[in-house]
Amino acid sequence: MGGLSVDADGLRFVPTDTRLTPGDPLNWSFQVVTSNGNIVTEFDEAHGQRGHLIVVRRDLTRFQHLHPTLDADGTWRVEAFSLPDPGVYRAFIDLVVDGRPTTLGFDLFVSGEMEVAPRSDTSRRATADGYVVDLQTNEVLAGEPVELAFEISRDGEPVSRLDPYLGALGHLVTLREGDLAYLHVHPKETSPDSGRVEFGAQFPTPGRYRLFLQSKPDGTLITTRHDIRIDR
Protein backbone atom coordinates (compact mmCIF):
# COMPACT_ATOMS: atom_id res chain seq x y z
CA MET A 1 0.00 0.00 0.00
CA GLY A 2 1.27 3.46 -0.86
CA GLY A 3 0.74 7.07 0.10
CA LEU A 4 1.97 6.66 3.68
CA SER A 5 5.15 8.66 3.14
CA VAL A 6 6.35 11.81 1.43
CA ASP A 7 9.43 9.77 0.43
CA ALA A 8 9.35 6.33 -1.23
CA ASP A 9 11.17 4.43 -3.99
CA GLY A 10 13.88 7.09 -4.05
CA LEU A 11 11.34 9.86 -4.77
CA ARG A 12 10.11 12.72 -2.59
CA PHE A 13 6.90 14.80 -2.79
CA VAL A 14 7.69 18.54 -2.44
CA PRO A 15 4.62 20.86 -2.49
CA THR A 16 4.85 24.65 -2.50
CA ASP A 17 2.03 25.28 0.00
CA THR A 18 0.73 23.03 2.77
CA ARG A 19 -1.53 25.51 4.62
CA LEU A 20 -4.64 26.80 2.91
CA THR A 21 -7.69 28.93 3.65
CA PRO A 22 -11.01 27.08 3.20
CA GLY A 23 -12.64 27.78 -0.16
CA ASP A 24 -9.85 30.15 -1.21
CA PRO A 25 -8.43 29.06 -4.61
CA LEU A 26 -4.74 29.31 -5.31
CA ASN A 27 -2.39 28.20 -8.06
CA TRP A 28 -0.81 25.23 -6.30
CA SER A 29 2.30 23.42 -7.46
CA PHE A 30 4.69 20.68 -6.43
CA GLN A 31 7.71 18.76 -7.63
CA VAL A 32 8.96 15.20 -7.36
CA VAL A 33 12.61 15.06 -6.33
CA THR A 34 15.06 12.14 -6.26
CA SER A 35 17.12 11.16 -3.22
CA ASN A 36 20.11 13.11 -4.58
CA GLY A 37 18.04 16.27 -5.02
CA ASN A 38 17.38 16.14 -8.75
CA ILE A 39 13.93 17.22 -9.97
CA VAL A 40 12.20 14.49 -11.97
CA THR A 41 10.99 15.77 -15.33
CA GLU A 42 10.01 12.55 -17.15
CA PHE A 43 6.99 10.49 -16.14
CA ASP A 44 5.31 7.52 -17.80
CA GLU A 45 1.65 7.69 -18.72
CA ALA A 46 -0.79 5.60 -16.67
CA HIS A 47 -4.55 5.49 -17.20
CA GLY A 48 -4.25 8.17 -19.84
CA GLN A 49 -2.39 10.68 -17.63
CA ARG A 50 1.18 11.27 -16.44
CA GLY A 51 0.00 12.05 -12.92
CA HIS A 52 -3.10 11.54 -10.81
CA LEU A 53 -3.61 13.80 -7.81
CA ILE A 54 -6.08 12.44 -5.25
CA VAL A 55 -7.04 14.71 -2.33
CA VAL A 56 -9.17 13.39 0.56
CA ARG A 57 -9.89 14.85 3.97
CA ARG A 58 -8.65 12.60 6.76
CA ASP A 59 -12.19 11.70 7.84
CA LEU A 60 -12.46 10.09 4.35
CA THR A 61 -14.65 12.81 2.84
CA ARG A 62 -14.19 15.71 0.37
CA PHE A 63 -12.75 13.56 -2.42
CA GLN A 64 -11.05 15.21 -5.42
CA HIS A 65 -9.36 13.52 -8.38
CA LEU A 66 -7.29 15.99 -10.38
CA HIS A 67 -4.85 15.84 -13.28
CA PRO A 68 -2.15 18.49 -12.81
CA THR A 69 -0.18 19.82 -15.75
CA LEU A 70 3.58 19.24 -15.97
CA ASP A 71 6.07 21.97 -16.95
CA ALA A 72 9.30 21.13 -18.73
CA ASP A 73 11.28 21.89 -15.55
CA GLY A 74 9.38 19.20 -13.58
CA THR A 75 6.90 21.51 -11.83
CA TRP A 76 3.37 20.12 -11.57
CA ARG A 77 0.63 22.76 -11.46
CA VAL A 78 -3.03 22.83 -10.40
CA GLU A 79 -4.78 26.06 -11.33
CA ALA A 80 -7.39 27.45 -8.91
CA PHE A 81 -6.84 24.62 -6.43
CA SER A 82 -9.28 24.86 -3.53
CA LEU A 83 -10.18 22.82 -0.44
CA PRO A 84 -13.72 23.66 0.65
CA ASP A 85 -13.79 22.99 4.40
CA PRO A 86 -11.46 23.14 7.40
CA GLY A 87 -9.51 20.04 8.35
CA VAL A 88 -6.45 17.97 7.51
CA TYR A 89 -6.34 16.59 3.99
CA ARG A 90 -4.11 13.95 2.46
CA ALA A 91 -2.78 14.67 -1.02
CA PHE A 92 -1.68 11.59 -2.97
CA ILE A 93 0.32 11.81 -6.17
CA ASP A 94 0.01 8.59 -8.15
CA LEU A 95 2.67 8.34 -10.85
CA VAL A 96 5.03 6.06 -12.77
CA VAL A 97 8.75 6.79 -13.14
CA ASP A 98 10.93 4.51 -15.31
CA GLY A 99 8.20 1.88 -15.33
CA ARG A 100 7.81 1.80 -11.54
CA PRO A 101 4.44 2.88 -10.06
CA THR A 102 4.73 4.99 -6.92
CA THR A 103 2.24 6.75 -4.68
CA LEU A 104 3.48 9.55 -2.42
CA GLY A 105 1.41 11.38 0.20
CA PHE A 106 1.57 14.76 1.96
CA ASP A 107 -0.76 16.36 4.52
CA LEU A 108 -2.40 19.70 3.76
CA PHE A 109 -3.89 21.85 6.51
CA VAL A 110 -6.98 24.02 6.07
CA SER A 111 -7.61 26.48 8.89
CA GLY A 112 -10.81 26.50 10.94
CA GLU A 113 -12.89 24.20 13.08
CA MET A 114 -13.43 20.80 11.50
CA GLU A 115 -16.89 19.22 11.66
CA VAL A 116 -17.01 15.46 11.27
CA ALA A 117 -20.29 13.81 10.33
CA PRO A 118 -21.01 10.22 11.43
CA ARG A 119 -20.94 7.51 8.79
CA SER A 120 -22.14 3.94 8.70
CA ASP A 121 -19.90 0.99 9.41
CA THR A 122 -20.53 -0.40 5.94
CA SER A 123 -22.29 1.11 2.94
CA ARG A 124 -22.61 -0.91 -0.24
CA ARG A 125 -25.21 1.25 -1.98
CA ALA A 126 -24.63 4.86 -3.05
CA THR A 127 -26.46 7.35 -5.25
CA ALA A 128 -25.25 10.17 -7.48
CA ASP A 129 -27.04 12.29 -10.09
CA GLY A 130 -30.01 9.90 -10.18
CA TYR A 131 -27.88 6.76 -10.53
CA VAL A 132 -27.73 3.95 -7.97
CA VAL A 133 -24.44 2.09 -7.56
CA ASP A 134 -24.35 -1.22 -5.68
CA LEU A 135 -21.22 -2.99 -4.51
CA GLN A 136 -22.19 -6.61 -5.03
CA THR A 137 -19.16 -8.32 -3.52
CA ASN A 138 -20.10 -10.08 -0.30
CA GLU A 139 -17.28 -11.51 1.81
CA VAL A 140 -13.86 -9.86 1.72
CA LEU A 141 -10.94 -11.43 3.61
CA ALA A 142 -7.62 -9.78 4.40
CA GLY A 143 -4.76 -11.02 2.28
CA GLU A 144 -7.05 -12.83 -0.21
CA PRO A 145 -7.60 -11.70 -3.82
CA VAL A 146 -11.14 -10.42 -4.34
CA GLU A 147 -13.23 -9.17 -7.23
CA LEU A 148 -15.05 -5.93 -6.49
CA ALA A 149 -18.12 -5.76 -8.72
CA PHE A 150 -20.30 -2.66 -8.97
CA GLU A 151 -23.67 -2.53 -10.71
CA ILE A 152 -24.93 0.86 -11.89
CA SER A 153 -28.63 1.37 -12.45
CA ARG A 154 -31.22 4.08 -12.99
CA ASP A 155 -34.95 3.82 -12.36
CA GLY A 156 -34.49 0.22 -11.28
CA GLU A 157 -32.76 -0.91 -14.49
CA PRO A 158 -29.05 -1.41 -15.25
CA VAL A 159 -27.70 1.47 -17.32
CA SER A 160 -27.49 0.76 -21.03
CA ARG A 161 -24.01 2.18 -21.53
CA LEU A 162 -20.85 2.82 -19.54
CA ASP A 163 -18.35 5.10 -21.25
CA PRO A 164 -14.60 4.76 -20.64
CA TYR A 165 -12.99 6.88 -17.97
CA LEU A 166 -9.19 6.99 -17.85
CA GLY A 167 -8.97 4.11 -20.29
CA ALA A 168 -11.36 1.77 -18.46
CA LEU A 169 -15.01 1.54 -17.49
CA GLY A 170 -14.23 2.87 -14.03
CA HIS A 171 -11.56 4.16 -11.68
CA LEU A 172 -11.40 3.05 -8.04
CA VAL A 173 -9.45 4.57 -5.13
CA THR A 174 -9.42 2.60 -1.87
CA LEU A 175 -8.18 4.04 1.43
CA ARG A 176 -7.72 2.31 4.78
CA GLU A 177 -9.26 4.09 7.76
CA GLY A 178 -6.72 5.23 10.34
CA ASP A 179 -3.63 5.85 8.23
CA LEU A 180 -5.22 6.41 4.79
CA ALA A 181 -3.01 3.81 3.17
CA TYR A 182 -3.66 3.94 -0.58
CA LEU A 183 -4.51 0.66 -2.27
CA HIS A 184 -3.96 0.15 -5.99
CA VAL A 185 -6.81 -1.68 -7.70
CA HIS A 186 -6.98 -2.85 -11.26
CA PRO A 187 -10.02 -2.64 -13.56
CA LYS A 188 -11.14 -5.76 -15.39
CA GLU A 189 -12.52 -6.01 -18.90
CA THR A 190 -16.31 -5.91 -18.80
CA SER A 191 -18.93 -5.18 -21.41
CA PRO A 192 -19.84 -1.46 -21.66
CA ASP A 193 -23.53 -2.37 -22.01
CA SER A 194 -23.67 -4.66 -18.95
CA GLY A 195 -24.08 -1.87 -16.40
CA ARG A 196 -21.22 -3.43 -14.40
CA VAL A 197 -17.64 -2.49 -13.67
CA GLU A 198 -15.24 -4.86 -11.91
CA PHE A 199 -11.87 -4.55 -10.21
CA GLY A 200 -9.32 -6.98 -8.83
CA ALA A 201 -7.93 -6.11 -5.39
CA GLN A 202 -6.30 -7.53 -2.30
CA PHE A 203 -6.74 -5.89 1.10
CA PRO A 204 -3.67 -6.52 3.27
CA THR A 205 -5.15 -6.16 6.76
CA PRO A 206 -8.47 -6.23 8.62
CA GLY A 207 -10.10 -2.84 9.17
CA ARG A 208 -12.46 -0.37 7.56
CA TYR A 209 -11.86 0.83 4.03
CA ARG A 210 -13.55 3.53 1.99
CA LEU A 211 -13.90 3.00 -1.75
CA PHE A 212 -14.28 5.94 -4.13
CA LEU A 213 -15.66 4.78 -7.48
CA GLN A 214 -15.69 7.00 -10.55
CA SER A 215 -17.66 5.86 -13.58
CA LYS A 216 -19.43 7.35 -16.62
CA PRO A 217 -22.93 5.94 -17.09
CA ASP A 218 -24.48 7.39 -20.25
CA GLY A 219 -21.49 9.75 -20.52
CA THR A 220 -22.03 11.37 -17.09
CA LEU A 221 -19.04 11.23 -14.74
CA ILE A 222 -20.18 10.32 -11.22
CA THR A 223 -18.34 9.63 -7.97
CA THR A 224 -19.76 7.32 -5.32
CA ARG A 225 -18.50 6.31 -1.88
CA HIS A 226 -18.71 2.80 -0.45
CA ASP A 227 -17.51 1.43 2.90
CA ILE A 228 -16.50 -2.11 3.81
CA ARG A 229 -15.28 -3.68 7.05
CA ILE A 230 -12.89 -6.59 6.98
CA ASP A 231 -12.91 -8.51 10.25
CA ARG A 232 -10.33 -11.17 9.41
Side-chain angles (χ1 to χ4, degrees), residues 141-183:
L141 301 176
E144 297 290 335
V146 64
E147 180 183 279
L148 301 172
F150 297 86
E151 183 172 277
I152 304 168
S153 61
R154 185 162 194 163
D155 299 327
E157 297 292 334
V159 296
S160 59
R161 188 183 86 248
L162 283 174
D163 291 332
Y165 177 60
L166 300 175
L169 294 184
H171 185 272
L172 186 66
V173 170
T174 299
L175 300 175
R176 182 171 61 191
E177 184 181 73
D179 59 5
L180 271 64
Y182 185 105
L183 178 67

Side-chain angles (χ1 to χ4, degrees), residues 6 11 38 63 66 70 104 220:
V6 300
L11 302 173
N38 293 327
F63 175 88
L66 307 170
L70 178 63
L104 305 173
T220 301

Side-chain angles (χ1 to χ4, degrees), residues 42-62:
E42 297 292 333
F43 298 85
D44 302 339
E45 190 172 287
H47 303 294
Q49 300 286 336
R50 286 184 291 177
H52 298 266
L53 178 67
I54 306 296
V55 185
V56 183
R57 203 168 71 168
R58 277 200 167 269
D59 63 344
L60 294 173
T61 63
R62 313 301 191 270

Side-chain angles (χ1 to χ4, degrees), residues 16-139:
T16 51
D17 299 280
T18 59
R19 286 167 170 76
L20 293 82
T21 301
D24 197 5
L26 79 161
N27 294 330
W28 191 66
S29 64
F30 62 90
Q31 294 175 326
V32 176
V33 180
T34 66
S35 55
N36 59 13
N38 293 327
I39 299 171
V40 182
T41 59
E42 297 292 333
F43 298 85
D44 302 339
E45 190 172 287
H47 303 294
Q49 300 286 336
R50 286 184 291 177
H52 298 266
L53 178 67
I54 306 296
V55 185
V56 183
R57 203 168 71 168
R58 277 200 167 269
D59 63 344
L60 294 173
T61 63
R62 313 301 191 270
F63 175 88
Q64 294 187 51
H65 181 177
L66 307 170
H67 300 120
T69 58
L70 178 63
D71 293 346
D73 67 354
T75 300
W76 293 89
R77 299 187 185 278
V78 182
E79 302 297 325
F81 178 58
S82 176
L83 297 176
D85 301 301
V88 181
Y89 292 73
R90 189 70 171 173
F92 302 92
I93 180 65
D94 199 355
L95 44 84
V96 181
V97 178
D98 295 330
R100 176 187 292 180
T102 299
T103 304
L104 305 173
F106 208 111
D107 278 352
L108 305 178
F109 303 89
V110 181
S111 59
E113 183 177 350
M114 177 176 168
E115 296 182 2
V116 179
R119 61 187 179 93
S120 59
D121 197 46
T122 61
S123 55
R124 295 177 178 270
R125 168 168 286 192
T127 59
D129 294 334
Y131 295 94
V132 177
V133 182
D134 287 299
L135 172 60
Q136 298 189 318
T137 305
N138 292 319
E139 187 176 35

Side-chain angles (χ1 to χ4, degrees), residues 143-232:
E144 297 290 335
V146 64
E147 180 183 279
L148 301 172
F150 297 86
E151 183 172 277
I152 304 168
S153 61
R154 185 162 194 163
D155 299 327
E157 297 292 334
V159 296
S160 59
R161 188 183 86 248
L162 283 174
D163 291 332
Y165 177 60
L166 300 175
L169 294 184
H171 185 272
L172 186 66
V173 170
T174 299
L175 300 175
R176 182 171 61 191
E177 184 181 73
D179 59 5
L180 271 64
Y182 185 105
L183 178 67
H184 288 273
V185 290
H186 305 283
K188 294 188 172 185
E189 289 291 335
T190 53
S191 172
D193 58 3
S194 68
R196 287 171 62 90
V197 57
E198 300 173 359
F199 302 84
Q202 184 170 316
F203 296 84
T205 64
R208 293 177 70 194
Y209 294 80
R210 170 153 280 193
L211 287 59
F212 294 93
L213 173 69
Q214 292 184 286
S215 58
K216 291 185 73 174
D218 306 318
T220 301
L221 179 62
I222 63 172
T223 301
T224 53
R225 297 158 176 79
H226 308 261
D227 293 285
I228 61 172
R229 174 182 285 279
I230 301 175
D231 295 317
R232 60 186 177 89

